Amino acid sequence: MPLIESRHLQKLIRNILWICASLFFLGILGTVFFTSDLPDIRPPEEEDTSFTEGWYYMEEDEKHTIASFPFSLSFGGDELILYHKIPPLTDIKYLSFKNQFQEIKAYAGDLCIYEYKTSSASPAGKLLGNFRCYIPLSPEYEGQTISLHLKNTVSITVNGLQNIELGSSDAFILDIISNNFSLAVCLIFMFLTALLLYLVYLVQDVKKLSYDYKSFLHIGSFLLLSALWMWSDSELPQLLCSNATMVCLISFFSFMALPIPLLSFVRSACRQGKTLLTGMQCVLLVNIIVQFLLYSMELFDFPSMLPVTHLLLLLYIGIIIVLLIREVRLHASFEAKGILAAILLLILCSIAAMVQFYLHPNTDNSRFFRYGLVMFIGILLFLSGKNLIRFLEERTQAKLYQQLAYTDIMTQTPNRIAFDECIDKLRQSGISGMPLTVVMLDLNNLKETNDTYGHKAGDELLKGAAGSIKNAFQEVGTTYRIGGDEFVVLIKKGNISPEPLFQVMDLEIAQFNTKSRYSLSIARGYAHNAGDSDKDIDSLLSAADQNMYRNKAATKGTCR
């Protein structure tokens, strides 16, 4: 008790010291933060400035001033043209704005200084995407009128811009990084988690476990597709990739493929509806193929076909909810309850993201989905981890039971059941051509020891005998206890003579006898199959047994 109390006291003192050290650190850090008068050590930042005042457009020869941004206009004309006077410039600046599937032309006076459109003959199609445009403005354009020609290319958006800014390229890069920092952290976390899940899946696949470890593959794939979609639907690709159409294609493909691994995960959790879920996956794959065909044939663009994917998602969400509710009712499945709760959270956030997309298409459309996804993945990882832990516990327990069934508890050697199974295999395969030595061992005078000193003394001899035999033969063969005082060693290696090993065993026995009150002696005999004889395993066992009894008879009376 004093030792235990001392340890508790040490642990308490350590925890108190940790708390004191942390409080001192936070207190001093806070004091320095609020009271330090040192100058700012960060490099000066060149900020981009808002350039939203003074813009106007013409309609029927009438000038209309734009009061504020975001600004959009739907009217009968093909093109919306915004005008502004270029302010004084000391060096090259960039006029920047978020574009959404619009062809852009920019003029300084009558000079075209920027054009954002695809060629009509482009094999990649005319997908312009949702990206930020950067129009270079030189000091020579100062005082001229800049005109932005906006032409909508898809039916789900209208002509307009969310915001217009003026600044340097470095300022815009920093602006993208700062505005998308939380998204970048989320994407890195999702990517690393997906890799970890793939690694867990591969390890379990190599080990060929009976556990349904494919759930880790499904969650990892869902995470990877989600990360790919959120990355391609943000401003981050503009820091790495120059091909807008390619990024758009990645965005639409990953979004359409997103439900497929999720359906696989639900399929693994439900006992019913598996055929329906597989059919739903096939429909989604057909949807991807058809949409890419229609796009490549320039019949439809992806934004126009997006409502089809949204309707499929809403339909599938309803089916998944029905299947999971039925699974919970019929089987009271804890896993189904968890998945149902996770999917409901994800559904609510996904619907919020869809509503935001249709009401405010120029905003961050994946924000609400990210929130739901974090909660969804957290619940799924918890469920999968819990299932894996339960499986490993059951597997460990099954291995323990199997080990107990095949192990002699007292001597910790394979028992008669393990020996009989091994002999049955040797009977079926035969030992012709196999170098095999059978060593029979039997304790001398075990019954007399039990009768004289009791079974506790006999147990001590059995443990000493098992230890002596295993220490001598463990490098060359397997030791079995096949009866009350009988042991067998099977040596499946060639050119192994038991005689030197008997000497090692005798040394072990002598060492045991110096420490024990009871005398240990072991009779031994062996038979060998050189691999070129016609002996079978039973004749080999019989020969070894006879040789052991000859040895026992020869040593009878010398052992006490």
Side-chain angles (χ1 to χ4, degrees), residues 19 38 147 176 195 200 261 375 392 449 452 490 504 553:
I19 294 172
L38 289 174
S147 58
I176 290 176
L195 289 182
V200 172
M375 294 183 285
L392 292 176
T449 302
T452 305
L490 296 181
V504 176

Side-chain angles (χ1 to χ4, degrees), residues 468 472 499 501-513 522 524:
S468 300
E499 294 296 342
L501 301 174
F502 287 150
Q503 296 177 13
V504 176
M505 184 180 73
D506 289 335
L507 290 174
E508 294 284 340
I509 292 171
Q511 187 176 4
F512 172 83
N513 287 334
I522 302 176
R524 73 288 307 267

Side-chain angles (χ1 to χ4, degrees), residues 317-345:
I317 285 170
I319 293 174
I320 289 173
I321 292 175
V322 170
L323 288 175
L324 289 173
I325 291 176
R326 187 170 66 175
E327 185 74 16
V328 170
R329 287 181 176 178
L330 293 178
H331 305 285
S333 170
F334 173 79
E335 185 177 9
K337 289 179 183 178
I339 297 174
L340 180 61
I343 286 181
L344 287 176
L345 285 172

Side-chain angles (χ1 to χ4, degrees), residues 440-449 457-458 460-466 468-469 484-487 502 505-514 516-525 548 551-560:
M440 286 284 185
L441 303 119
D442 189 277
L443 272 69
N444 291 316
N445 304 320
L446 179 62
K447 185 178 183 306
E448 289 78 358
T449 302
E460 184 177 329
L461 288 181
L462 284 169
K463 293 177 183 177
S468 300
I469 297 169
D485 56 0
E486 295 177 282
F487 292 85
F502 287 150
M505 184 180 73
D506 289 335
L507 290 174
E508 294 284 340
I509 292 171
Q511 187 176 4
F512 172 83
N513 287 334
T514 60
S516 176
R517 293 172 52 198
Y518 317 108
S519 178
L520 173 62
S521 173
I522 302 176
R524 73 288 307 267
M548 183 270 295
N551 178 261
K552 182 181 281 287
T555 58
K556 190 174 182 180
T558 63
C559 304
R560 294 180 298 169

Side-chain angles (χ1 to χ4, degrees), residues 99-137:
N99 176 38
Q100 187 169 18
F101 302 105
Q102 298 176 112
E103 291 185 354
I104 306 291
K105 283 187 178 180
Y107 291 85
D110 295 328
L111 177 65
C112 181
I113 58 175
Y114 181 83
E115 186 173 18
Y116 182 78
K117 62 178 291 187
T118 59
S119 168
S120 59
S122 172
K126 299 181 179 180
L127 195 60
L128 298 176
N130 186 12
F131 297 102
R132 183 176 285 273
C133 293
Y134 298 95
I135 300 173
L137 297 180

Side-chain angles (χ1 to χ4, degrees), residues 52 132 143 252 298 425:
T52 56
R132 183 176 285 273
F252 282 104
E298 297 188 3
K425 291 178 182 178

